[in-house]
């Protein structure tokens, strides 16, 4: 590794003071030094920074602390010049710009340590809950401006609070790194996303690059720069690139899979040599994708379910151990696995009334299974699943498995062959791989090959602020991804149909899963 | 030559429209095309330009007119996107930013033709007539801001008038090119020049590069870019780099000299392989340099003088043929040559009273020679020269010749060996090489080797706006110049003393000059 790579963006610079026989100008003298420090062919400096530099350098004895950054094209950037003996914090801001939630993390650029974090609902929800409704809102007069103002003002307000809590000023923030899906990124930058939802689905920009934060309207230091993660297309955004960066799968010889289930479900397969990706919401057969499962994870929501054969009852766990008020995605997957193991559903996912005993009932003609009776639930109603919920889960799990099978198959692999299976987001944080394998949603890999990444979009964004090598890696990741349009043809539908059984029509793919015989109707 | 090089900055671009299997974003699609057009590795686009692009490209059928530019570091810039069938002019502005006078030239970027030009006094004269007084004014409270505002407002006001005369709006200006000496450039950019007049004389910046014009405050198109010529040091500015560019001496195999006599006198010797330069005002022995000669060229000022042996009187020519009111530099040189040829001064430049006849008188003890008696002058006073004026001229011409001898000698050449001798500025426009050779100010070359460049600073600045290859050439010129501090040591002083005779103590250097014997005192 180049010595420059082992350091962060903040460097102490010591210049040879000028002399009659060494009369390079101040800015050019500093640039020469910074080129070496950053290992770039060029270093840009703002006019505003040059204005202050001559007096600063002489006051500081030609030593200084430089906050650096880098843009594509071998362009280093001097973002800020501070005294050699720092008195003020030098901070960075990582932004996970989600459709539903936005996370801000404040980072000390010198130590690399996080200083604080805040999560808030994307204020654009007030205008439209999902991507499509917001893009449609752009068509109304002033709609685009309104959406951009909502998110920019929202970030500024939350950031001011976060800085107050952390005891630093917003003007200590010199670098900003933003990872979000392509639409959210466009709306933040004030770019119209209207052509992204119309065939052939074209974003305004793939590689936004590095901007002065004043261009975006972020209230941080006046000369700060923001790096906006690039996208591969309208349906494969910077949040995914950030996730790949954080997983390091682009650095390794072995092939890994990364699955991110957020508003959409995206899958990436690859290693340091190649990478192939697809977005799972594509195609009408997958309507709802793998995401329409259960309630959003929140306090009181059941995230773990086990069926205790001895007590013949469900063991449940709720988030924050509060009285149960719903079942989230991971809970539904656990439940389906438990129901399948105990024979309460058959291999098609259909409830078997005689096995469900008193938990089964018809509500307005729809089969229903109660997990928590009304008397013990926080809502005063029975908590459980309907046959429709289970059918939806079967479609979701079949879609997920089919996508995994299709994308690995496109490079001549089986899903089981991957060395590491990264699961990002809240889905990854809560899901029990064993349960997901039991229902055939995820491939039958040893549990230790599954790795939960957490908020990989935020983590990827944060890493850029502490590791200068990331800039080139992000470019390489983006440019190296082959984006595969999911071609929902007859072969795909055949695989999808085969995957709609528990765990699969081809049980040899799931050797670790014990197939109950009793539940077979 | 690369095909891209044969075109200007305005290009018509035709893009392949996007399709499902060709879904690159709009900005990236355009960038790919522009990289080819500009032959650069990178092309930058403003966020504001990206904002308008998706609708524009679709409205224009994926054809457009692009105004391009280039920064150092292989960075192309998309400055402006216009409809493929242009309705509005696309203009550039070349600025010669002189200490005394500023020239603006408006250029049609498509045809490359000049649209109009205006000359005005640098408004900073109100604060200080020369560089030094202005740099000192910077030390007063608000002084720097005042000087910057004076020149920026001055340019904006004059430009608005010029545009009105040319029938174009100021917002049709997309590219600006600025050549000036290092101090004037610093003041325009709002940079403090205070360290440039203090040893070791360090500018804030050598390579200002390309800026958004909004950074400078120029009232042109909102996304316009300004290229500011780089300098080699505090005493060798962008005006000289522009002059070299215009002379093309950096492109040729044969060695040329370029002398620019403005506020300072600078000399460059070189060819396509090497270039060496020095500034003539350096060193206390050269106080006043070669510039303190006569009156500023202006209407009514005598710019040509000949002595008619038959009438025994001076033949004079005044600028605009108005009644004479002073003698400018070229007139003083002509006069000295005439006086020397006719024996009215000796080889030391001393007036010989008996040869001057009635033209000689002592005024308050100082010898004086009248060229135009009071009765025929516009001022009502005798116009002529004093012995002090002549002594000053002798020092000036000796300084010029010594500098030329020193700089050519530093590369093992004689001044007489150069193939082309460029003389820039008003000095170059008015001077008669034969007269300058006669007094030993310029080397004894055939008259056709002398070439007047005119306002080479303006011409160089203008060329950047029509020839994209200039950007790289400017960098190469700047980086290739060896700046020689004039070391005013004993050897230099010996050469200087030898050059203080007419034409020189070594008359073999001036074989074309007939040495009068009679004037030899």
């Amino acid at each position: 590794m180049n010595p420059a790579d082992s350091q962060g963006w903040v460097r102490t610079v010591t210049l040879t003071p000028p002399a009659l026989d060494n009369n390079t100008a101040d800015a050019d003298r500093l640039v020469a030094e910074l080129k070496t420090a950053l290992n770039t062919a060029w270093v840009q400096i703002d006019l505003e920074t040059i204005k202050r530099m001559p007096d600063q350098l002489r006051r500081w004895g030609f030593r200084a602390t430089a906050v650096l950054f880098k843009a594509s094209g071998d362009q280093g950037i001097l973002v800020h010049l501070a005294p050699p003996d720092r008195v003020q914090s030098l901070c960075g801001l990582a932004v996970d710009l989600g459709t539903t939630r936005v996370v801000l993390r404040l980072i000390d650029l010198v130590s690399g340590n996080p200083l604080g974090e805040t999560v808030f609902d994307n204020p654009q929800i007030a205008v439209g809950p999902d991507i499509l409704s917001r893009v449609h809102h752009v068509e109304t007069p002033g709609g685009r401006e309104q959406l951009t103002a909502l998110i920019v003002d929202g970030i500024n307000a939350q950031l001011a609070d976060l800085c107050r809590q952390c005891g630093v000023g917003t003007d200590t923030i010199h670098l900003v790194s933003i990872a979000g899906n392509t639409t959210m990124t466009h709306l933040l930058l004030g770019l119209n996303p209207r052509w992204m939802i119309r065939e052939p689905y074209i974003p305004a920009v793939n590689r936004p690059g590095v901007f002065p934060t004043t261009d975006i309207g972020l209230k941080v230091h006046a000369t700060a720069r923001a790096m906006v993660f690039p996208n591969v297309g309208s349906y494969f955004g910077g949040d995914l690139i950030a996730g790949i960066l954080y997983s390091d799968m682009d650095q390794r010889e072995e092939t890994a899979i990364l699955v991110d289930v957020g508003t959409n479900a995206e899958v990436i397969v690859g290693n340091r040599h190649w990478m192939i990706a697809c977005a799972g919401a594509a195609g009408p057969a997958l309507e709802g994708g793998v995401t329409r499962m259960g309630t959003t994870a929140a306090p009181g929501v059941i995230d773990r379910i086990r069926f205790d054969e001895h007590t013949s009852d469900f063991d449940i766990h709720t988030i924050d151990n509060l009285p149960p008020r719903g079942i989230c995605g991971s809970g539904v997957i656990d439940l389906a696995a438990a129901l399948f193991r105990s024979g309460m559903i058959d291999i098609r996912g259909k409830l078997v009334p005689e096995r469900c005993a008193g938990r089964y009932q018809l509500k307005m003609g729809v089969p229903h299974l109660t997990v928590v009776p009304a008397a013990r639930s926080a809502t005063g109603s029975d908590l459980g699943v309907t046959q429709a919920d289970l059918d939806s889960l079967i479609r979701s799990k079949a879609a997920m498995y089919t996508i995994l099978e299709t994308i690995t198959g496109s490079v001549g692999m089986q899903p089981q062959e991957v060395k590491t299976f990264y699961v990002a987001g809240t889905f990854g944080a809560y899901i029990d791989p064993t349960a997901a394998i039991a229902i055939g949603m995820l491939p039958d890999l040893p549990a230790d090959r599954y790795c939960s990444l957490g908020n990989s979009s935020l983590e990827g964004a944060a890493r850029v602020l502490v590791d200068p090598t990331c800039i080139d890696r992000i470019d390489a990741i983006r440019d190296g991804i082959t984006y595969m349009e999911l071609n929902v043809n007859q072969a795909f539908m055949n695989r999808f149909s085969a995957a709609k059984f528990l765990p699969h029509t081809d049980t040899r793919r799931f050797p670790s899963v014990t197939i109950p015989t009793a539940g077979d109707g």
Side-chain angles (χ1 to χ4, degrees), chain A:
Chain A
M1 195 162 71
N2 187 297
D5 298 342
S6 60
Q7 301 178 50
W9 291 115
V10 178
R11 312 288 175 93
T12 303
V13 186
T14 302
L15 302 177
T16 309
L20 277 177
D21 59 355
N22 176 358
N23 65 349
T24 301
D26 296 326
D28 302 72
R29 180 174 301 267
L30 186 56
V31 161
E33 191 70 21
L34 297 180
K35 278 186 194 175
T36 310
L38 276 173
N39 197 21
T40 56
W42 307 92
V43 173
Q44 308 167 358
I45 310 185
D46 272 348
L47 194 51
E48 288 308 310
T49 306
I50 299 177
K51 283 181 188 174
R52 288 188 292 269
M53 190 178 299
D55 285 348
Q56 287 179 332
L57 287 181
R58 283 160 184 81
R59 202 182 321 135
W60 302 335
F62 286 90
R63 291 176 62 239
T65 301
V67 180
L68 305 175
F69 210 44
K70 197 180 154 185
S72 299
D74 216 14
Q75 294 276 328
I77 304 170
L78 172 62
V79 177
H80 180 63
L81 211 56
D85 311 301
R86 287 181 301 278
V87 286
Q88 217 190 15
S89 302
L90 300 170
C91 301
L93 171 69
V95 181
D96 166 35
L97 185 66
T99 306
T100 309
R101 295 198 314 171
V102 179
V103 191
L104 307 181
R105 181 184 289 173
L106 204 59
I107 288 172
D108 181 320
L109 290 174
V110 178
S111 66
N113 294 331
L115 296 174
E117 199 169 304
T118 188
V119 185
F120 59 99
D121 288 347
N122 187 324
Q124 294 173 338
I125 290 172
V127 167
D130 53 31
I131 289 183
L132 210 58
S133 60
R134 293 182 208 168
V135 177
H136 284 142
H137 187 73
V138 160
E139 307 290 339
T140 63
R144 207 276 304 143
E145 290 76 4
Q146 185 192 1
L147 284 162
T148 300
L150 278 171
I151 184 61
V152 172
D153 295 348
I155 292 174
N156 283 334
Q158 295 281 340
L159 180 59
D161 281 350
L162 177 61
C163 285
R164 211 170 297 125
Q165 287 160 29
C166 298
V168 297
T170 51
D171 64 346
T172 63
I173 300 174
H174 299 285
L175 303 182
V176 179
S177 159
I178 300 165
N181 64 52
T182 309
T183 310
M184 291 308 111
T185 301
H186 272 56
L187 290 175
L188 176 73
L189 295 178
L191 301 172
N192 192 325
R194 68 178 306 206
W195 302 105
M196 291 169 49
I197 58 159
R198 290 167 168 82
E199 202 180 310
Y201 316 111
I202 306 298
V205 64
N206 289 137
R207 298 175 186 80
V210 174
F211 295 104
T213 47
T214 47
D215 281 8
I216 310 179
L218 295 180
K219 290 188 179 151
V220 292
H221 191 277
T223 64
R225 293 298 201 289
M227 197 285 279
V228 179
F229 273 78
N231 63 72
V232 176
S234 294
Y235 299 110
F236 196 94
D239 47 349
L240 275 294
I241 308 278
I244 295 168
L245 180 78
Y246 178 59
S247 77
D248 284 334
M249 63 187 279
D250 63 306
Q251 303 280 290
R252 280 196 291 269
E253 202 63 39
E254 320 90 66
T255 302
I257 284 187
L258 191 160
V259 173
D260 190 344
V261 182
T263 306
N264 241 318
E266 290 97 357
V267 178
I268 305 112
V269 182
N271 53 42
R272 62 184 302 174
H273 303 292
W274 54 265
M275 217 164 269
I276 185 162
C278 68
L286 310 179
E287 197 61 56
V290 291
T291 65
R292 206 173 288 169
M293 297 183 301
T295 312
T296 305
V301 167
I302 301 171
D303 61 344
R304 287 264 164 275
I305 302 181
R306 209 170 58 85
F307 188 71
D308 189 324
E309 298 285 348
H310 302 292
T311 62
S312 283
D313 202 1
F314 292 105
D315 263 5
I316 63 162
H317 174 263
T318 64
I319 297 175
D320 293 350
N321 293 307
L322 293 174
R325 41 170 292 263
I327 310 177
C328 76
S330 61
V332 173
I333 291 166
D334 275 9
L335 178 61
L339 295 179
F340 181 53
R341 284 193 194 105
S342 61
M344 284 186 270
I345 56 173
D346 63 18
I347 62 164
R348 296 165 307 153
K350 298 299 178 191
L351 288 164
V352 181
E354 57 273 25
R355 291 301 194 98
C356 298
R359 292 176 198 92
Y360 179 88
Q361 55 187 307
L362 284 173
K363 286 188 175 177
M364 300 200 297
V366 179
H368 186 277
L369 179 122
T370 299
V371 175
V372 180
R376 277 155 47 201
S377 91
T379 62
S381 308
D382 290 343
L383 296 181
V385 286
T386 65
Q387 185 59 56
D389 292 335
L390 290 167
D391 292 348
S392 170
L393 173 69
I394 296 291
R395 279 195 305 276
S396 289
K397 82 96 187 172
M400 173 61 91
Y401 189 80
T402 308
I403 292 169
L404 293 172
E405 194 183 11
T406 302
I407 194 169
T408 51
S410 75
V411 290
M413 292 178 75
Q414 293 289 326
Q416 293 83 342
E417 292 175 52
V418 298
K419 290 294 172 206
T420 313
F421 197 113
Y422 295 107
V423 194
T426 43
F427 180 76
Y430 291 105
I431 201 176
D432 172 10
T434 315
I437 293 167
I439 64 166
M441 184 178 210
L442 296 181
D444 195 0
L445 301 171
D448 63 2
R449 291 211 201 158
Y450 281 95
C451 175
S452 169
L453 282 182
N455 187 344
S456 55
S457 169
L458 178 69
E459 297 296 345
R463 187 173 280 194
V464 173
L465 301 175
V466 298
D467 177 0
T469 64
C470 288
I471 300 287
D472 289 345
R473 274 182 63 197
I474 290 166
D475 279 344
I477 291 169
R478 198 223 85 91
D479 294 347
I481 288 177
T482 303
Y483 183 75
M484 191 176 83
E485 281 292 341
L486 270 186
N487 186 7
V488 183
N489 54 18
Q490 194 54 51
F492 184 94
M493 290 312 292
N494 290 346
R495 283 196 293 275
F496 180 60
S497 299
K500 280 166 82 177
F501 289 80
L502 296 173
H504 196 275
T505 47
D506 178 10
T507 54
R508 287 168 304 179
R509 297 174 185 220
F510 291 86
S512 81
V513 179
T514 309
I515 315 296
T517 47
D520 204 333

